[in-house]
Amino acid sequence: MPDGSTLTVHVEGMTCASCVARVERALSAVPGVTSASVNLATSTATVAGGAGAAEISAALRAAGYAVPARTLVLDVEGMTCASCVARVERALAAVPGVTGAVVNLADGTARVTGLSGAVDPAPLLAAVRRAGYAAHVRPSAGAGGGESGTGPAARRFAVAALLTAPVFLLEMGGHLLPGFHHQVEAVIGQDRARIAQFVLVTAVLLWPGRTILARGLPALWRGHPDMNALVAVGTLSAWAYSTLVTFAPGLLPAEARAVYFEAAAVIVTLILLGRWLEARAKGRAGDAIRRLVGLRPATALVERDGRRAEIRVEDIVPGDVLHVRPGERIAVDGVVTAGESWVDESMLTGEPTPRAAGPGAALAGGTVNGNGALVLRATRVGADTVLARIIRMVDEAQGSKLPVQDLVNRVAEVFVPAVILVALLAVAGWLAFGPAPRLTHALVAGVSVLIVACPCAMGLATPTSILVGTGRAAELGVYFRRAAALQTLAAATTIAFDKTGTLTEGHPVLAAIAPGPDWTADALLAHAAAVERHSEHPLARAIVAAAAERGLDLPPASGFRALPGQGARAEVAGRAILVGSRRFLERAGVATGDAGPPATGTEVCVAVDGRHAGTLRIDDRIRPGAAAVLAELRAMGLGLALVTGDNAAAAGAVAAELGIDRVVAEVLPEGKVAALRALGPGVAFVGDGINDAPVLAAADPGIAVGSGTDVAIESADVVLMSGDLNGVLRAVAVARATMRNIRQNLVWAFGYNVLLLPVAAGLLYPVNGLRLSPALAAGAMAASSLLVLTNALRLRRAGGPGPGARPAPRPGL
């Protein structure tokens, strides 16, 4: 923050006066801080001086406190190219309290992150205005992208076209109709025709074209020219030269008295046409998230105090009872308490088959009830629902950017000044060495250079592909949490899988009991189930379910403690019970004997009072279709690996059946990260359980199946809502297609300028007489952006339904 300014931030974790002193001391030690005042009652700290938000946040973290982050999404108007993106990002990043700003040209948004309490909309909006743009705060993240603006853009183009048509006809009619020019001169005269053109073109510039001038000229005056500045200078040059010829022809030599009114008007009209089509294309690019937002119903039938009433969804609270009629969309997340039906979840999971729903079934808001009536108890509402989280996830991914975009923005910052320099050199070259009429040739070359340059295509190349690609993935039930996951997944060379609940169904069943001496099968099972009924692990649920099927009475357990990836312990009827892996028991000093692991499945050992009491064997069937999915992944050139905490025999059996050649078994949760890194760079990991959270966070990228725990989903970069392994294929397909699309866009955006700028400057004229007129330059410039957008929209067909629809090949243009 600037020297002498103050910053007020919220501080979490302060409980007493000593906390106040510690925070003040930590803040005062930050270089640049002149004073620090902490208020325990409001949990705020006011800092004066020149320290930055990042330094303040780091100092508080080092002292044991935290500053919660706040994110605001702004809709920014007036951005047209990559240099605009860089300028707005720089302006927002300079606001005190801001720790990061990411601007997306494709949907016209700026996502600003800063310290809670320090980031206020007013200074952000003021900073954007000072940079030469308009902005307003989006009411809520995930609203589905900025307004496309197709209506105003269409009107501006229509007015410009109507005004330009007579000008174009007056100037170019002779090329279409022989003798047309002679008829015009005979009826109204050349001077009146030029005056009419002057009036019409001036109207084009000041009416529909005023947005270009109003944005371009101030940017030029501030020393930060953008695409609008290039167009403004080019059109005004053509207009001013033509006006001089019309009203003061004596100031110019006879051979130079040509007018270019039609060029100025056609340039503006074509650019407005391009922007209208861009707005339409951007609107289509953001369709996916708008469809997600549209899944939220406005009202629901809620029963309170025995009365049913239709209330707003925003007023529903957890615990409310909702009545869902046949064909209605479910309003919030809830658990079915009565009724049976089939629920269509395709809009969230991408899977077309409805799911049976009865008492106890958990349903997500936004899904569609079938023919039966359901009664639900609301469990999650508002921002906590699955749909709201998905919308935030997609919105954040679409608002983030890849590392290559920073390079594009840096290039774009110097691109526009470089184009102006090239235009000046072209004018000077034609004036010095060009044929007669030199002034006319110089004007045409300079205007063409200014008009043909297209930084818009550079700015749109990456974010538009991300916007469409992540939206397409969402339609397939694949949700990217951040754009960088597209790049890492596309570049992945190996995909590692967890076993239980990922490659297998995750619904294991007890297959065999091997009791030790002095124990019966039922007694051993009852003691194990008494401990495991307090656990959420799939193996634990299988043991409890088996005990229930046998009708066993479970003794009470106390002091339960779970050790992730190993087992659990508790006291049952006064006896110390351990249930878990053989390694877990041996580490606790329990000799498990020479009984080897089961031939198939997973062994669970039981110890009572420090002695091995027996072993349970649990089987988990491989998911239907898993073999076909893995075969497709191998065909795509990806290596496969299995990383699991299960025993080597069980892991080896699954790997052999699925054709996985690299197996890492009997690894603890904390060891999975090291195991993943040992597989080499570019390894993605697919998992679902709480034990997978660390490795999901460390993978490149982590892919969580949506049937897993919230912890796993929050730790992953990619989420497969259906829990179907076909989602892995779709994710890889979309990632590869998106990155290939981005490369294509960047090659075109940069290649277009490299090729056409020399042509516009007239470098080919001495060779073959080729020149580029300003009107054609305007058409080429508009086509450049449209080509980038159209290419990105091809991603709406990326991916596929699964095996049989092979995804995109390895990267390459």
Side-chain angles (χ1 to χ4, degrees):
M1 60 187 181
D3 291 342
S5 64
T6 60
L7 198 65
T8 299
V9 298
H10 292 294
V11 182
E12 290 182 341
M14 296 191 299
T15 58
C16 62
S18 62
C19 296
V20 172
R22 192 175 302 121
V23 171
E24 287 185 346
R25 192 162 53 247
L27 292 174
S28 298
V30 176
V33 171
T34 56
S35 66
S37 175
V38 178
N39 188 319
L40 181 62
T42 58
S43 296
T44 59
T46 301
V47 185
E55 291 80 3
I56 291 172
S57 181
L60 289 170
R61 284 197 305 271
Y65 303 91
V67 180
R70 182 186 183 190
T71 299
L72 287 174
V73 180
L74 309 180
D75 287 315
V76 183
E77 299 172 0
M79 296 190 300
T80 56
C81 61
S83 63
C84 300
V85 171
R87 192 169 306 117
V88 174
E89 283 186 351
R90 190 166 54 246
L92 290 171
V95 176
V98 171
T99 57
V102 177
V103 176
N104 191 320
L105 178 63
D107 63 359
T109 62
R111 186 179 303 276
V112 186
T113 304
L115 307 183
S116 179
V119 179
D120 187 74
L124 298 177
L125 299 177
V128 175
R129 282 195 298 271
R130 285 195 298 272
Y133 306 89
H136 61 272
V137 179
R138 179 175 292 180
S140 61
E147 292 296 326
S148 65
T150 55
R155 286 192 295 273
R156 283 193 291 268
F157 163 67
V159 172
L162 288 173
L163 294 173
T164 299
V167 177
F168 183 82
L169 187 61
L170 283 172
E171 188 63 30
M172 307 300 292
H175 299 284
L176 302 174
L177 301 172
F180 180 80
H181 276 163
H182 298 296
Q183 294 179 9
V184 169
E185 290 185 9
V187 175
I188 61 174
Q190 185 184 64
D191 292 341
R192 288 193 180 92
R194 288 183 172 180
I195 292 173
Q197 291 182 51
F198 164 79
V199 172
L200 291 171
V201 173
T202 302
V204 169
L205 294 176
L206 297 181
W207 188 0
R210 70 181 182 277
T211 55
I212 298 172
L213 302 181
R215 295 168 184 169
L217 294 179
L220 189 64
W221 293 331
R222 287 192 300 267
H224 299 292
D226 59 4
M227 191 212 72
N228 288 298
L230 297 180
V231 176
V233 172
T235 53
L236 287 178
S237 298
W239 174 86
Y241 182 87
S242 302
T243 301
L244 185 65
V245 170
T246 300
F247 294 103
L251 298 177
L252 297 170
E255 67 273 10
R257 295 172 187 171
V259 296
Y260 294 93
F261 283 124
E262 93 288 347
V266 169
I267 287 169
V268 171
T269 302
L270 288 175
I271 288 173
L272 293 177
L273 170 63
R275 291 187 179 175
W276 171 42
L277 296 176
E278 278 183 30
R280 291 184 59 190
K282 289 178 182 178
R284 293 172 62 198
D287 280 348
I289 195 168
R290 277 191 290 275
R291 280 195 292 270
L292 285 173
V293 173
L295 296 179
R296 296 184 294 202
T299 62
L301 184 62
V302 177
E303 180 180 341
R304 291 176 179 170
D305 300 326
R307 293 183 175 181
R308 297 185 188 181
E310 200 84 20
I311 69 172
R312 297 190 313 158
V313 170
E314 292 81 1
D315 297 329
I316 298 175
V317 298
D320 274 344
V321 175
L322 281 69
H323 290 265
V324 185
R325 292 162 291 212
E328 282 189 333
R329 198 173 290 279
I330 296 169
V332 296
D333 295 359
V335 175
V336 178
T337 59
E340 292 185 352
S341 185
W342 292 86
V343 177
D344 180 4
E345 299 178 324
S346 60
M347 62 290 299
L348 298 182
T349 66
E351 296 300 321
T353 305
R355 180 167 70 94
L363 301 178
T367 55
V368 179
N369 184 26
N371 294 327
L374 295 174
V375 180
L376 270 74
R377 177 175 52 82
T379 55
R380 289 178 175 173
V381 301
D384 295 328
T385 63
V386 169
L387 179 59
R389 292 165 65 197
I390 286 174
I391 291 172
R392 285 199 303 273
M393 193 186 307
V394 177
D395 195 35
E396 288 169 5
Q398 294 185 340
S400 60
K401 61 183 179 181
L402 298 176
V404 68
Q405 187 63 29
D406 290 324
L407 175 61
V408 172
N409 290 346
R410 288 196 295 272
V411 171
E413 277 197 281
V414 300
F415 175 77
V416 175
V419 168
I420 294 176
L421 178 61
V422 170
L424 293 175
L425 292 175
V427 170
W430 279 96
L431 288 176
F433 308 107
R438 292 182 178 182
L439 185 60
T440 299
H441 288 309
L443 174 68
V444 170
V447 171
S448 296
V449 168
L450 292 172
I451 298 302
V452 81
C454 189
C456 301
M458 298 181 192
L460 291 169
T462 298
T464 307
S465 296
I466 293 173
L467 186 70
V468 183
T470 53
R472 171 57 177 164
E475 292 175 350
L476 298 173
V478 177
Y479 299 95
F480 287 85
R481 295 183 61 84
R482 52 191 66 88
L486 288 164
Q487 185 170 339
T488 55
L489 183 56
T493 57
T494 301
I495 297 187
F497 291 86
D498 177 47
K499 183 177 78 70
T500 304
T502 303
L503 292 177
T504 62
E505 291 183 340
H507 302 294
V509 295
L510 182 66
I513 304 175
D518 305 325
W519 285 90
T520 66
D522 282 355
L524 180 69
L525 179 58
H527 280 72
V531 175
E532 296 287 37
R533 66 179 169 181
H534 298 283
S535 173
E536 293 297 323
H537 196 281
L539 299 182
R541 290 198 292 268
I543 294 172
V544 174
E549 288 178 2
R550 295 187 179 211
L552 301 180
D553 292 327
L554 304 185
S558 61
F560 172 83
R561 182 186 174 196
L563 287 84
Q566 302 180 60
R569 65 174 73 220
E571 286 192 5
V572 178
R575 309 183 75 175
I577 309 294
L578 299 179
V579 183
S581 66
R582 183 179 296 273
R583 182 176 61 248
F584 173 51
L585 267 64
E586 290 174 348
R587 287 185 175 181
V590 178
T592 57
D594 56 0
T600 61
T602 301
E603 68 170 356
V604 176
C605 298
V606 183
V608 180
D609 290 334
R611 297 183 59 187
H612 184 225
T615 303
L616 311 176
R617 194 188 87 203
I618 298 175
D619 286 340
D620 189 6
R621 290 175 296 183
I622 292 175
R623 284 177 182 262
V629 170
L630 268 61
E632 285 285 343
L633 291 172
R634 280 194 299 271
M636 295 165 63
L638 288 164
L640 303 177
L642 178 63
V643 179
T644 178
D646 212 341
N647 65 76
V654 170
E657 184 172 347
L658 295 178
I660 300 175
D661 52 3
R662 305 174 72 179
V663 180
V664 182
E666 299 183 18
V667 58
L668 297 176
E670 57 270 22
K672 284 188 176 182
V673 174
L676 192 74
R677 289 173 178 161
L679 294 173
V683 180
F685 182 84
V686 184
D688 76 323
I690 189 170
N691 295 337
D692 296 328
V695 69
L696 284 170
D700 289 325
I703 304 174
V705 294
S707 56
T709 65
D710 287 344
V711 174
I713 293 173
E714 292 299 326
S715 302
D717 300 303
V718 186
V719 177
L720 313 179
M721 285 305 298
S722 68
D724 183 358
L725 288 180
N726 282 321
V728 179
L729 288 174
R730 296 166 185 161
V732 174
V734 171
R736 288 185 174 182
T738 302
M739 294 308 300
R740 187 173 64 253
N741 193 271
I742 288 172
R743 285 190 293 273
Q744 293 167 347
N745 284 347
L746 289 175
V747 167
W748 167 253
F750 284 98
Y752 159 86
N753 286 286
V754 169
L755 291 174
L756 284 191
L757 278 175
V759 176
L763 291 184
L764 295 182
Y765 183 81
V767 179
N768 55 16
L770 181 63
R771 297 173 60 198
L772 191 65
S773 75
L776 287 177
M781 188 270 288
S784 176
S785 295
L786 290 175
L787 184 61
V788 166
L789 286 162
T790 304
N791 188 50
L793 287 174
R794 293 191 306 115
L795 290 171
R796 299 173 80 187
R797 299 187 298 273
R806 183 168 297 175
R810 289 292 297 167
L813 290 176

